Amino acid sequence: MVSKAPPCSAAATAVSSTVRQGRFGVLGGILKKGYSPGTVTYTALIKGLCLVDRVGDAAKLFKKMRRLGCRPNIITYGTLINGLCRTGNTGLALQLHQEMVNGNGGLDSKFKPNLVWYSTIIDGLCKEGMVDKAKELFLEMKGSGISPDVVVYSSLISGLSYYDDGWEEAKGLFIEMLDGGICPNVVTFNGLMNALCKVGRTQEANRLLELMIQRGVKPNLFTYNTLMDGYCMQGRLDDARELFFSMGNKGHERDVVSYNVLINGYSKSGRVEEGMKFYRHLIREGFKPTIYTYNTLLTGLFKERKVEDAWKIYDEIQANGVKPNSITCNIFVNGLCKNDCLLEALEFIKALGNTGFAPTIEFFNCILDGLCKAGNVDTAKELFYKLPEKGFVPTVVTYSTIIHGLCKEGKLEKANDLFLEMEEKGCAPNVVTFNTLLRGFCQNNEALKVVEFLRKMSEREVSPDAHTFSIVVDLLTKDEKYSEYLNLLPTFSAQGQTNDPSDELLRGTESVSMSIYIAKLPSQDVGTWARMHDMDIRLNISSHSKEYEMIAVDKNKRAEAARMVLFWASEVNQEYVIVKADYQVLVNCSFSASVTSVEGTGGGYGYADHLGGICDDVFVGLSALLLFLCSFLVLVSSLPFSCVSARGKQEERSNDWRNHRYYNQSWSGIQNSKV
DNA sequence: GGAAGATCGA
């Protein structure tokens, strides 16, 4: 069917004005009267549907108009692309964009998108974390002769905060726009500050604040909330608090987000009581709490095992008319399971059924984990096998959870069987699955099994992570025969390794050293961790694995941080004795931090001397690890740090190592022991 | 004319 001439503009106007009110019956009326809608009418309808968030229907209508031979114009494309981007369907928007540029295989006319549409898609892509795609489009746009403006730059700069190292690129873009004569505005500054704060570079963010004031750009509420969150993430709660109270003086009243940020800071640092105080303050001041407020508080409460208080908060959510979301439900199910309130968790899920909330496989993963943690791995297995009947497809997480439960109870053979079963069913094991099994076998001193699974891992091209290394280190250091195992360790395939090997090596060694002492810390001692905020240490407590992960944000403070943590640990927990592995960590940290004056004797060397007295071959163990890392990277032929020295800024450090007597001594030891 | 920024879990 070919469309007739467009209907009279009066009809299109009627459609346009009524769709805005969401009255779509008008279209039916027009069709019944024998009018055939044209592009303008369709576009108006699509716009109306987008306005009331019925983007799916808008897309259907778009398809229909094309099927009926009515050609979309540039405004039709623009309207739909806008709607799709706004509702998190940027992938589809991108497809449309490409059709629009290429002319849909000759079916439709080609159009040249303008600045604002590029800006819309780039922003949408950034919001959905597809920053690489956004960068591609950015180049495409520049290639077609459109100069990006401050909005496009700002979108990209804030999008880059998705990546840990995004701040460097964000900074580059910032400089690029300055060079191009485009003035950054408050949004641009906020975006860059956020990228810096996300990785703990609050000092630089502060300098940026000064710069913006200098340039006459007035900071706003977003600026201060961003900075405050940066402080919180570093555990610098006192600074965050100070900023919170000083905001009023700077002419920016606090908003509910300011409260949320601070409450989140306290919750994450194991000081939920203080978070609660700010929550009460918020209510007293007449702010309306949001679901963020509650989710944050609940996370903190469950983390500190305050299940009763969590239920009280749940009542307050209802009382204050705030709508819980899927995150709230997840926090509850997870929190209850983790706090051994399995029955309550089941009740909770049952209650969710009445609210129309549909549990997902992730919910069952929580339940299964809860069952396993409570030592009911058999019940968990029963539930696990019932899931497919109910239409839930077990994921790699589901399998890994059960495998974890089995390993925990020493049922390693059954764990091994389930591994085979998951592969049979076509579910690919990931690094967590392997780590779980490896840990199980390590704890049982089954070195041959460890080697077998490392080999499987390499065959399936699953890249090991810091935990894998830490598990292997554990085996290497606790067993005298580590050099024998070392010869058995497979050489990992270089395929699938896209990262810069020297980067990987550095990350690997640093994470390993962290993991070692983390494993030795008293795991329930939240108070100790709270005292770390002066040290610029970002704390990430993973409730799932009940292990602590920490990153000293400032590399130069790592060694100091490690020392402090170890001594706190021995101070708080009388049973805690500093062992040789701890010294190893200190030495390793000192070197990796290039700190030269810890404990007076000169950084890592000082600890190395202590270490020498305790155990001469500790460095042999350390080098064994390095060698393992290197063989994994197929760098066996070169010295461990020769690849590192390729990076100019690490030159000094690698020399430190190579000249060090322990290092040389142990290196020759390893060379001899290698067949 | 339109487009951009901060807080929650796993």
Side-chain angles (χ1 to χ4, degrees), chain A residues 263 266-267 271-280 297:
Chain A
I263 292 172
Y266 281 115
S267 274
R271 294 160 71 177
V272 74
E273 274 311 320
E274 281 160 273
M276 283 297 287
K277 272 186 207 156
F278 277 95
Y279 167 67
R280 302 280 171 226
L297 271 177

Side-chain angles (χ1 to χ4, degrees), chain A residues 35-196:
Chain A
Y35 288 110
S36 172
T39 305
V40 179
T41 312
Y42 275 120
T43 306
L45 274 165
I46 288 171
K47 185 169 189 176
L49 288 166
C50 286
L51 275 173
V52 292
D53 282 345
R54 287 169 58 182
V55 185
D57 290 335
K60 267 187 217 155
L61 196 61
F62 182 79
K63 259 191 201 163
K64 188 178 167 188
M65 78 181 272
R66 287 213 293 204
R67 207 174 50 237
L68 296 175
C70 184
R71 286 186 172 187
N73 65 18
I74 189 161
I75 300 177
T76 325
Y77 273 112
T79 306
L80 190 55
I81 285 177
N82 196 333
L84 289 168
C85 287
R86 236 179 359 96
T87 50
N89 293 293
T90 314
L92 271 176
L94 195 61
Q95 247 177 31
L96 266 183
H97 164 82
Q98 266 139 14
E99 274 180 23
M100 178 168 91
V101 177
N102 302 323
N104 193 22
L107 288 174
D108 296 322
S109 318
K110 286 187 190 181
F111 296 107
K112 197 173 176 289
N114 64 17
L115 172 69
V116 174
W117 291 355
Y118 267 115
S119 174
T120 306
I121 304 179
I122 288 175
D123 183 57
L125 289 168
C126 285
K127 281 216 180 75
E128 288 182 45
M130 302 190 276
V131 189
D132 285 326
K133 262 268 171 285
K135 282 195 284 188
E136 265 175 44
L137 225 60
F138 182 67
L139 292 178
E140 180 189 310
M141 167 184 168
K142 284 206 273 195
S144 69
I146 300 172
S147 317
D149 68 349
V150 60
V151 176
V152 180
Y153 272 114
S154 303
S155 285
L156 265 177
I157 286 173
S158 51
L160 281 164
S161 57
Y162 269 96
Y163 301 133
D164 276 355
D165 50 0
W167 61 273
E168 288 187 85
E169 222 173 310
K171 245 179 172 174
L173 279 176
F174 187 79
I175 291 163
E176 186 184 306
M177 68 186 285
L178 285 177
D179 288 345
I182 301 166
C183 278
N185 62 18
V186 60
V187 180
T188 329
F189 274 105
N190 290 347
L192 187 53
M193 279 175 76
N194 188 35
L196 290 167

